[in-house]
Each structure stands twice: as C-alpha cells, then as structure tokens.
Amino acid sequence: MSEIQLTINGQAIKAAEGETILETARANGIDIPTLCHQEGVTPTGACRMCLVELDGTNKLLPSCVTRAADGMVIRTDTEKLKRYRRTILELLFAERNHTCAVCVSNGHCELQSQAQAHKIDHVNFDYRNPQLIVDLSHERFGIDHNRCILCGRCVRVCDEIEGAHTRDMRNRGIATLIITDFDQSWGEASSCTNCGKCVEVCPTGALFIKGLGAGEMVKNHELVPGLVNTREVVHAKN
Amino acid sequence: MIKQTLTPAFPSDDKRWRIVETAMKRSNYQADALIETLHAVQEAFGFVDESAMQFVSARLNLPASKVYGVATFYNLFQMKPAGEHTLSVCTGTACHVKGNDQIVEFLREEYGLNPGDTTPDGKLSFIGARCVGACGLAPVLIFDGKIVGKLSVDEMKQKIREWVNDES
Amino acid sequence: MNLDTLTLVSEQYSDELANYHHLIHICAGTGCTSANSMELLDRLNEVIKSKGLQDVILAKMVGCMGLCAEGPVVNILPDDILYRQVTPEDAEEIIDHLVRNEVLERLRLDTHLPFFTRQQKTALVNSGIVNPESIEDYIAHGGYKALLKVLTQGDRLAALEEIKRSGLRGRGGAGFSTGMKWQFVYEKSNSPKYVICNADEGDPGAFMDRSIIESDPHSVIEGMAIAAYVVGAEKGFIYVRAEYPLAIKRLRKAIREATKHNLLGTGISGTGFNFEIDLRLGAGAFVCGEETALMQSVMGNRGNPMPRPPFPAEKGLWSQPTLINNVETLANVPRIIEKGGDWFASTGVGKSKGTKVFALSGKITHTGLIEVPMGITLREIIEEIGGGVPGGRKLKAVQTGGPSGGCIPAEYLDTQVSYEALNELGAIMGSGGMIVIDDSSSMIELARYFMEFSMDESCGKCIPCRAGTAQIHNLLSLFVEGKATENDLEKLEELCEVVCNTSLCGLGQNAPNPVISTLKYFRNEYIEAIRRNPDAVERMEINHE
C-alpha cells in the first residue's frame, strides 16, 4: 500500500492510501466529532458532524466516508464548521426529548459530551416534544425513543456483526423510528438473539440495560471494534 | 448464497396470492424484487398488512424489519384497507394555488378526514396525492382513479358531498 | 430489424396513411384523456364508419399537443385545423364539416397563436403527431433510424463524440454534461454496466417527462439503447413514478413491441449488441429522483441517498458502473445522432445548448407543455407563448425548479433562460416546471408550501435535512400566523445556510432555496409579517429607542 501526504489543520501528515480522512486524522491525534460513526461497521455519512473543509472545493466533505488523497489540504475546526456543528446538535436536542439529569447515560453520553465540547447552553429552536414510547418488553434491555438520534449504529451492528437484522427504521423524515421485526415490541421480536451489541454501540441513553439508575449506564465502546478485530485475525489465520 | 429450503405457505387460500407469487418468481426471488412484490400485494389486495409482509419476508428470505422498513418508507403502500371509494386530492403547486389547499381544509373540517383517513362508515378514503402531472387541468381531484379537473372550489365541495353521500 | 426492413416498414406505413384524404389526430395524453378524449375517438370512429368514410378519413390517437387546459384537443391534417374542448357529441358535426370542406368555427383554436408559432421542437418533435401506441407510426416518422445508424457504423467513440459536440446537458435539473457522463461510464472496464432512465419526475408542477413518455415512449427507449451501446451496457431500467399509470402502460407496450421487432433484446438488428429494459415503479417517494436514492430503490431498499463519491459511473447499481439520464435528455439523443451534434448546438445561448421543455402552470392563460430554444426570455415564455396572467391580475413571480428552486420576481422577466442565468437569480433550471404566481399569492405561504413538501419527503437519514426542514417549516409558520419576531428572521436565514451546506443529498441541500429566494426578492413580506405581530412591534420599538 503506497503512502500519501496531506495537510490537516496546517499539520503535514502521512497516510496509507485507502484510509478515510477521519481515520487519518484520528491516527494523528486530531479529533473530528462524530455521532453516527461506529468503528467496525459501514460508515454512512449521516450525522454530518464530521464534515470538513477541503481546499479547492466549496462543498464540505464527510470525513468518515471520504478517502484521504495525496496533496489534500484539510481543515477540521474552522469557526464555520463549529457553528454548523452547534446547529446540528441543537436540531437534535429540539427534535426529541433529551433530559440529561434523569437519563441512564448521564455523564456517559456522546450527544451530551458533544454539546459540552461545543459549549451549547441553550437551544435556539422550538422543542418539538414528540410523544414517543419507551419499550421495556425485553427481559434485559430497554429502548427509549425519546433519546434516540437515529444514528443507525444499532441497525448496522445488528445486521453486519450479529447477522440478525432485527432492527431497521420505519417511515421516513421526521417520523422515522427504530423498529424491531414487524414493528413489534422488542420482547416479541423473534429474530433478536439477545446479544446486546446494539445497546453497547448506542451513543445515547436510548438503548440501555434495565434496572440502572440515572448515570449508571456505561457503554462498552471497545466491544464491537474488538469483535471485528478478532474476526479479521481469525480469518487471516485460516 | 443460502438456498431456499422451505417454501412458506400462502397466508390464506385467497387466489390473489398467486399474483404475488408470480411477481416474485418473475424476479427470481431476488432481494431487489421487494418493492415490485409490495406493489403486487397492494394491487391485488388494496393494502399491505402484516400477514402479507410476513409471507413476502419469508419467501424472499428478507429480514422482517427490512420489509417493514421498506413498506413504510414509500407513501404508496397502505397498511390498512381503503374505503369503498377513494378520493385523492392533488397537492401539486398548480392545484395548490388554484384552491386544493381549501379542499384539504374542507375535508378536515367537514368530515374530520386527514390524508390517509377513511370515513367511519368505510365509504370514502382520503389520500393526499403528490402532483399527478395533470397541471393543465388544475385543480385536480382523483375519484376512484379518474381525474376530475378544472372545477371551482365550490363545485369541488359539491362533488365531494355527492360522493360521500353516494349510496351506490 | 435492419436498416432495410426499417425503411420498408416506414414506407409501407407512410403509403397507408397517404391513402386517406384527412387524418384526425386526437390527443391521448393524461390531460385530454381525463377530459374524455378516448370516448371522443370511439365516437369519431363510429361516425366515420356509419357514413362509409373509413377509406378516406382516419381518426387516430396521438401524444400531447401541449395545450392541456383546452383539452380534448383535435388536429385535422393536412388542413391543420385545431379544435378545442371537443366532446363526443361534436363528432358528427366535425365529420360533416370535414366532408363539406368547412371549418367548425365554434370549436376552432387559432393555430397562429404564439403558443404554437414560437415553439421549437426537438424532444417533443413527435408529440401530437405520432401514435404513442404504434411502433410502426414511430418508425414511419424516422424512428429507430438513429439506433440502427449507430449499430451499423459500429463506432462507439464517434457516437459519443456527437453527443459531446451537441453540448447536451442533463435535463433533470443539475445540468451536467451528458457527453461527459457517458464518457465516464464508457471508460470503466468492469462489467456488467447499467443504464437507468430517471422517470421519477416528482417536482410539483412538472409534467414534462410524463408527457414525453405518454406521447413518444419509443424515443426514450431508442435514446436508452443508443446510450447503452455507447457505454457498453446490456441491461437498463426505467424508474417511473407509479402515479403515472398511462405512461407506465405505454412504456410496457413500447418495450414489448421494440423487443418483438428485435430493436431490444439479444443480437439487436443482427449485430452482437444485446440490450433489455426493465421497468421499476416508484412508490411515492420524491427523494428517489436523487440518483443514489433511486438506485437504492431499484435494488429494493429504502430510498436513502448515499454519499458521493463514489459516483454512479464508478459504483452504481450493485456496485457496477451505471449511467443515469433523465427522460428528456434521452429523448434528445436520437435527434442528435440523426442530425448531428453541431445541429443541436446551433440552437441556444452560451453553455446552454438546444431546446428545453417547460411545463407552464399556475396563474397563466395557456397552461400546458412547451419546448423553446435556450436563450429565450422569460417574458416571451410567460407573456407571448403563455398568454400572460388571466383575470386582470398582475404577475408577481415565476417559480422554477419546484421545491429545489426559487422564485424569480417580475422585474427579471427579460432574463434569457439558461442554466447559468437562472442559477445567478437564485432559481434553477430544474426539470422544467414553471409556475406563474400572481399578486394574490403570499410568497411566505408559497415558501412554506414547498418546505412542507421537502419536510414530508425528507428520507430522514441526515440530521440537517430531517430536523432542519421541520424547524424551517416551523419558523415559516410563525411568519404566516403573524407570530414571528426579528430574531426569527435571523434564525431562519442561519438555519437555511446550515441545511444547504451540510445536508447529504440534493434534496436537503436545495430545500431552503424557495425560502432563500423569497427572502432575497420579497423580504418586505417577511418584514410586514413581523409588523403584524404586536409583541414583535413593541420589541422593535424598544430596540430602536
């Protein structure tokens, strides 16, 4: 694999061909915020938090799906990008009902930590206050749609890693909702293997282990990347 | 590729399932036949309910949630049986500026119907249609598939009253 | 079928038609059939038969003649008499007059109207002339000659060169060079490759593609086959809206007939070229007009767009090289091959070559379908061809490009129509919908109408489009209801910028355009709305003290 050279935030960086801008940046200690990205499953470019500026084009590029190329001059933290990211976060907070203080993931939530990093102290939009259900029908896990940001990580992990494809999304646009099987309650979904990987990859408190109090749900972020890594090693040996 | 080992039975002995089966066979039971198959279900039965989705999911070897996700993404697929008659109101721009916005309002106020609703007696279903491309006839209503155009708002209201009260 | 048999079919059919003294053309487009034109055709045939005139008068269905609001429209040849709003009851009188060589004045429509004389037809050249359900009629009017010419010459590069030289650009809206698009797919060495015709015309107020397919389905099929041959594809899909039942019926029939005549299928015209076309029906999702979403839908998935790159030319259907062209673009292809790229490029202005089909609707006298040379002014389209605004009202704006486009105010009517000029005004060429707005309409309400559309049609994948369009809609409602403040105006402008610049696909990136353009040209309406809000006025006064 040949090596390429590019510049990120004024820093000269070497990368392997085929890597994404996000991978290159993170490997070099430059963090680009993400919400829908999940190491180990297919990136979708959906959350738009990882957009970066590239010299020579007006279009912002999603760094999770854009391959690094030789000679690229990239900026990841301009005032404009920060302003856009703040708006995207505000849109999420206004979309559903995110009440951090009572949330199982309080203190361990990616949406919350992004909001803190972007210094969001108020939301500029009217709260939509949708009436969404909390499904506690599964023996061990629960899903609170009020806290879901529709990043699709649970859908991809269930399909690509577990191979069950218990989850998908129903409807579209602002009415989109995560479903299990034929939109049954989770406890009745026969395809679910109860593996719990969806819970571990969920960035917020939308998917959680039952019986925990506020702030007690700590996700294992290494689980899925670890599984994928093990699989690759096993495959390579065979 | 996983071979289809068990052929699922038709959900009922309704002959229309054979039409659905033919649609899937035509596409060799490939995954990309899903939308075509849902069209076949909708055309044969007028709606796509869970038993239909279960059958299609089993026959095409597709996850349940995927079939449900696709069926609900597209507006054309109805999950409930439609009324005896169907009234579509074109909500394209030309029809909108020529009075159909008032017709949508009228259906809500007079009959409590929002797009997708059916009257309690099962007589009339109201569907909000995207531009049907008959802008030359704007404003356009579609009653049981037939386009009726160029009526004033009052004439349209009159027509709708006739249709709703129609005893046929 | 080879060139010789094609010529034979053409001559036989033309000879047959030449036997008749008069041809009566009855429009069979959606507009006219909804106004009972097929009952009229039946009645005319009855009358012709009852009077024993079946050897001298032929009544046949043809495609759209453009003036949809006057339907059913009937054209009598060779006399070139046009009748409008004809009912089955008029049939007998029409035939009687024809026999006496007289014109039925009460139904007559003046063919010297600018609506007819100012048009220039390329994509619509067969519309209103050819029977859309007869391949022989299409062949008799020069159909499939271009395809067989390309196949016989066997020079893919030469055909590609002709398309490039024509300067044809995508008629679906974005205006990318068709020749370049073809070249990208041509250059890819992996196979199979696919060709898709995008017939998912979803802009409200746009019916160009529906009309082309209903009127002349074979020209689209021929254009697709030429494209497939040039880029090296053997399989094509036409993705057509389920809301267009007549177009679907005609396409099905056209594909069947073309296959029967070996103009589609295996070993086309005795060459080694194979090409087959499948129809795929949309199911009510506007976003599927976006090419990556369309491909997802063809593969049986939810219509969620994918990031580009990779572009379809590289990784399209089933990750294979895929060419996607719109209906009108493809309908132009046979003419370009037949008459040459230079011929096509001789019409137009700047980088916008050839002619463009527009669907005129809204508050305009002659609602309907027109084809005009690029470079024509909006004033000529609206005032001359369209006959201006009816009812003594004043023109306020012209909306182009539907929910992705913008409003052009009356003072810019002298703008020449081109991709560049319309972009500069903050509107877009779009697919060709042109909606005339008179002074009785509120621009904020119109902007909200389009935003409601975009909100309902957002796929929900990316946050700015999913949640942003909903918030823009909410803000616009505040203005409509007189509850908005200056702060809301600021928020609206900022949010539009974010949704434009951060959304994943064209739907989201262009969704704020109707708001941005009305903010630009009709800002006073927004200010007025703020003034109507008693709370906001009080605050404004405090700020000014």
Side-chain angles (χ1 to χ4, degrees):
Chain A
M1 203 175 280
S2 61
E3 203 179 68
I4 53 171
Q5 288 229 353
L6 62 157
T7 311
I8 304 182
N9 299 344
Q11 191 180 332
I13 281 172
K14 286 190 174 65
E17 209 176 313
E19 266 180 20
T20 63
I21 295 172
L22 180 66
E23 284 166 341
T24 306
R26 285 191 176 167
N28 286 276
I30 300 167
D31 190 39
I32 301 173
T34 56
L35 283 173
C36 68
H37 186 72
Q38 170 62 49
E39 209 184 317
V41 297
T42 313
T44 56
C47 74
R48 318 309 281 170
M49 286 294 287
C50 76
L51 290 177
V52 296
E53 290 179 25
L54 170 69
D55 266 16
T57 169
N58 292 328
K59 289 237 162 186
L60 304 175
L61 302 175
S63 58
C64 65
V65 290
T66 310
R67 307 226 171 275
D70 203 40
M72 275 181 166
V73 178
I74 291 161
R75 276 169 310 276
T76 69
D77 59 353
T78 63
E79 283 312 309
K80 184 169 88 178
L81 288 172
K82 286 183 196 162
R83 182 160 58 89
Y84 288 178
R85 287 171 190 151
R86 271 199 299 275
T87 305
I88 290 171
L89 291 166
E90 284 183 42
L91 285 171
L92 280 179
F93 278 104
E95 186 180 25
R96 294 196 176 176
N97 310 306
H98 299 277
T99 321
C100 296
V102 298
C103 177
V104 284
S105 283
N106 190 13
H108 315 284
C109 166
E110 293 180 38
L111 178 64
Q112 187 183 34
S113 65
Q114 289 296 348
Q116 284 159 354
H118 288 86
K119 301 188 176 60
I120 291 177
D121 47 17
H122 72 288
V123 170
N124 226 337
F125 306 110
D126 287 351
Y127 286 94
R128 296 181 53 81
N129 294 321
Q131 302 291 314
L132 299 172
I133 57 152
V134 181
D135 179 357
L136 296 170
S137 60
H138 190 276
E139 199 187 330
R140 290 161 54 209
F141 311 121
I143 179 165
D144 182 350
H145 292 284
N146 294 289
R147 302 168 184 156
C148 173
I149 60 169
L150 298 171
C151 66
R153 288 193 200 175
C154 56
V155 175
R156 283 173 283 156
V157 162
C158 186
D159 176 50
E160 297 177 25
I161 309 298
E162 181 61 10
H165 202 123
T166 299
R167 294 195 181 288
D168 209 305
M169 296 185 188
R170 77 163 195 218
N171 301 345
R172 66 181 188 216
I174 200 83
T176 308
L177 207 74
I178 297 287
I179 53 166
T180 39
D181 285 1
F182 292 112
D183 201 15
Q184 285 128 321
S185 59
W186 194 353
E188 289 167 24
S190 59
S191 71
C192 178
T193 61
N194 313 315
C195 74
K197 285 195 276 290
C198 54
V199 176
E200 301 300 339
V201 298
C202 175
T204 70
L207 286 163
F208 54 88
I209 295 169
K210 281 174 25 178
L212 298 176
E216 289 178 358
M217 180 75 228
V218 184
K219 308 274 168 100
N220 179 359
H221 294 301
E222 294 313 311
L223 178 72
V224 167
L227 279 175
V228 173
N229 192 40
T230 312
R231 254 182 221 183
E232 277 167 10
V233 171
V234 171
H235 271 276
K237 277 187 184 154
N238 292 344
Chain B
M1 208 59 215
I2 304 162
K3 277 259 157 55
Q4 178 87 40
T5 46
L6 205 70
T7 306
F10 290 164
S12 68
D13 52 12
D14 194 317
K15 288 204 171 60
R16 287 174 288 182
W17 290 113
R18 290 197 198 141
I19 303 172
V20 178
E21 179 73 21
T22 313
M24 290 190 276
K25 196 175 173 191
R26 205 183 311 127
S27 316
N28 237 340
Y29 304 98
Q30 293 294 303
D32 62 273
L34 175 56
I35 295 173
E36 295 301 297
T37 308
L38 293 175
H39 270 300
V41 173
Q42 168 100 14
E43 206 168 301
F45 296 92
F47 63 103
V48 182
D49 67 359
E50 197 180 309
S51 71
M53 284 191 271
Q54 267 169 359
F55 172 60
V56 171
S57 151
R59 197 77 178 96
L60 295 178
N61 254 327
L62 288 171
S65 61
K66 161 143 194 179
V67 174
Y68 196 91
V70 168
T72 54
F73 184 90
Y74 297 95
N75 277 0
L76 206 95
F77 302 126
Q78 304 290 319
M79 302 291 139
K80 291 178 296 207
E84 214 175 298
H85 297 288
T86 305
L87 169 68
S88 308
V89 178
C90 179
T91 56
T93 322
C95 293
H96 178 82
V97 301
K98 285 188 168 173
N100 271 8
D101 52 338
Q102 296 169 53
I103 293 302
V104 173
E105 201 51 42
F106 168 76
L107 285 163
R108 187 173 9 242
E109 281 174 4
E110 192 98 354
Y111 300 104
L113 291 176
N114 284 307
D117 289 350
T118 302
T119 49
D121 62 358
K123 268 249 183 278
L124 188 78
S125 289
F126 163 39
I127 297 170
R130 286 298 180 214
C131 184
V132 295
C135 312
L137 302 175
V140 161
L141 301 178
I142 303 130
F143 187 67
D144 285 340
K146 188 171 163 48
I147 293 180
V148 181
K150 291 203 282 193
L151 297 179
S152 70
V153 172
D154 285 338
E155 285 169 323
M156 285 194 282
K157 286 180 181 171
Q158 188 52 40
K159 272 261 179 247
I160 291 169
R161 287 197 184 99
E162 282 167 27
W163 287 331
V164 175
N165 299 324
D166 187 5
E167 295 303 316
S168 65
Chain C
M1 188 176 276
N2 59 28
L3 263 178
D4 290 338
T5 44
L6 191 81
T7 314
L8 197 69
V9 169
S10 168
E11 281 169 0
Q12 273 173 357
Y13 194 82
S14 303
D15 286 349
E16 220 175 281
L17 288 186
N19 285 332
Y20 295 100
H21 297 180
H22 300 281
L23 296 177
I24 304 181
H25 285 177
I26 296 107
C27 176
T30 285
C32 287
T33 51
S34 305
N36 290 335
S37 69
M38 290 302 95
E39 285 86 338
L40 170 65
L41 174 62
D42 291 343
R43 183 71 194 125
L44 278 167
N45 276 325
E46 274 172 34
V47 173
I48 290 169
K49 218 170 147 203
S50 73
K51 293 181 188 287
L53 297 167
Q54 58 268 34
D55 296 329
V56 284
I57 301 175
L58 175 74
K60 74 166 192 183
M61 65 153 96
V62 295
C64 180
M65 292 182 234
L67 210 52
C68 308
E70 297 284 4
V73 182
V74 168
N75 189 20
I76 296 174
L77 295 174
D79 327 58
D80 198 24
I81 299 161
L82 208 58
Y83 291 142
R84 64 173 166 190
Q85 298 182 13
V86 186
T87 63
E89 290 73 48
D90 297 323
E92 185 136 13
E93 219 178 331
I94 289 176
I95 301 294
D96 286 345
H97 277 74
L98 199 54
V99 172
R100 295 201 301 267
N101 264 323
E102 285 170 13
V103 178
L104 183 53
E105 290 298 337
R106 72 178 173 88
L107 295 175
R108 188 176 197 171
L109 190 65
D110 184 5
T111 47
H112 298 95
L113 283 174
F115 184 89
F116 299 106
T117 58
R118 296 296 301 273
Q119 292 197 48
Q120 183 180 330
K121 298 195 171 180
T122 309
L124 297 181
V125 72
N126 286 331
S127 288
I129 293 168
V130 162
N131 177 348
E133 298 193 8
S134 158
I135 193 170
E136 288 83 9
D137 206 0
Y138 179 69
I139 290 171
H141 286 85
Y144 286 109
K145 230 155 88 183
L147 173 64
L148 293 195
K149 179 176 158 187
V150 168
L151 291 184
T152 330
Q153 287 175 348
D155 191 345
R156 295 164 63 198
L157 267 181
L160 175 61
E161 198 47 49
E162 217 55 69
I163 298 297
K164 278 162 101 180
R165 200 167 22 227
S166 74
L168 177 64
R169 294 165 67 178
R171 297 298 196 232
F176 192 79
S177 156
T178 305
M180 293 299 286
K181 230 180 188 182
W182 287 27
Q183 173 145 5
F184 291 146
V185 182
Y186 168 86
E187 282 168 353
K188 294 282 173 288
S189 53
N190 42 338
S191 64
K193 297 177 184 177
Y194 299 100
V195 174
I196 298 176
C197 168
N198 184 348
D200 193 45
E201 178 174 66
D203 286 6
F207 51 94
M208 300 74 52
D209 295 345
R210 172 182 64 69
S211 192
I212 290 173
I213 294 174
E214 284 175 4
S215 303
D216 196 17
H218 285 286
S219 71
V220 180
I221 291 170
E222 186 179 3
M224 262 183 105
I226 293 169
Y229 179 71
V230 170
V231 303
E234 296 199 336
K235 172 97 195 175
F237 294 94
I238 301 178
Y239 188 88
V240 57
R241 289 181 84 198
E243 289 91 334
Y244 288 173
L246 190 58
I248 293 165
K249 179 184 146 206
R250 299 233 162 110
L251 273 176
R252 287 215 166 107
K253 178 155 196 202
I255 291 170
R256 220 167 35 235
E257 289 202 331
T259 310
K260 202 174 82 194
H261 285 86
N262 191 223
L263 293 160
L264 287 176
T266 43
I268 294 175
S269 181
T271 67
F273 175 53
N274 309 322
F275 183 57
E276 63 169 50
I277 297 177
D278 258 2
L279 279 193
R280 286 292 158 100
L281 306 193
F286 172 73
V287 69
C288 290
E290 197 276 345
E291 57 184 20
T292 59
L294 186 154
M295 293 190 300
Q296 289 300 320
S297 190
V298 169
M299 294 186 284
N301 300 324
R302 288 166 64 86
N304 290 326
M306 309 294 273
R308 296 179 305 181
F311 287 91
E314 195 185 329
K315 277 191 170 172
L317 280 180
W318 296 284
S319 295
Q320 295 300 122
T322 303
L323 173 72
I324 306 186
N325 281 145
N326 137 289
V327 170
E328 189 185 333
T329 312
L330 289 168
N332 276 305
V333 166
R335 320 303 177 233
I336 292 171
I337 295 296
E338 203 184 325
K339 297 189 165 185
D342 290 333
W343 165 82
F344 187 84
S346 67
T347 299
V349 59
K351 286 185 203 154
S352 301
K353 303 295 189 196
T355 51
K356 175 79 191 87
V357 182
F358 288 103
L360 285 181
S361 68
K363 304 294 177 67
I364 189 154
T365 307
H366 301 312
T367 306
L369 199 73
I370 58 163
E371 184 167 7
V372 288
M374 295 276 195
I376 191 170
T377 65
L378 287 168
R379 187 180 303 284
E380 287 170 282
I381 294 179
I382 308 292
E383 292 182 357
E384 293 180 32
I385 298 176
V389 178
R393 301 218 72 116
K394 256 181 65 190
L395 179 115
K396 186 172 187 180
V398 182
Q399 212 282 344
T400 67
S404 312
C407 294
I408 303 167
E411 57 260 40
Y412 290 96
L413 269 196
D414 290 311
T415 307
Q416 286 191 307
V417 170
S418 70
Y419 290 96
E420 288 72 22
L422 293 180
N423 276 347
E424 216 163 282
L425 288 177
I428 58 168
M429 177 76 79
S431 55
M434 209 176 255
I435 298 143
V436 177
I437 316 287
D438 71 13
D439 54 0
S440 68
S441 297
S442 146
M443 300 313 277
I444 305 177
E445 224 168 293
L446 190 71
R448 186 175 69 156
Y449 163 79
F450 281 120
M451 195 49 61
E452 187 171 358
F453 181 93
S454 296
M455 177 176 85
D456 287 346
E457 296 295 343
S458 168
C459 80
K461 177 176 176 176
C462 80
I463 301 163
C465 177
R466 181 182 75 226
T469 52
Q471 290 292 351
I472 295 176
H473 183 261
N474 181 48
L475 285 166
L476 289 171
S477 292
L478 294 180
F479 282 92
V480 170
E481 291 156 15
K483 292 179 189 157
T485 64
E486 275 188 324
N487 187 26
D488 292 321
L489 190 60
E490 213 172 288
K491 272 196 243 176
L492 184 62
E493 294 196 291
E494 262 190 47
L495 187 53
C496 285
E497 183 198 331
V498 176
V499 174
C500 276
N501 290 329
T502 63
S503 290
L504 192 154
C505 82
L507 191 156
Q509 288 161 11
N510 294 307
N513 287 353
V515 185
I516 294 171
S517 81
T518 47
L519 277 168
K520 185 172 168 189
Y521 297 118
F522 301 95
R523 200 179 185 83
N524 57 325
E525 292 190 24
Y526 288 86
I527 305 286
E528 283 298 318
I530 296 172
R531 293 224 171 94
R532 281 206 311 276
N533 177 4
D535 300 343
V537 173
E538 209 171 283
R539 287 235 300 279
M540 269 158 94
E541 279 163 0
I542 295 166
N543 287 343
H544 291 169
E545 269 167 18

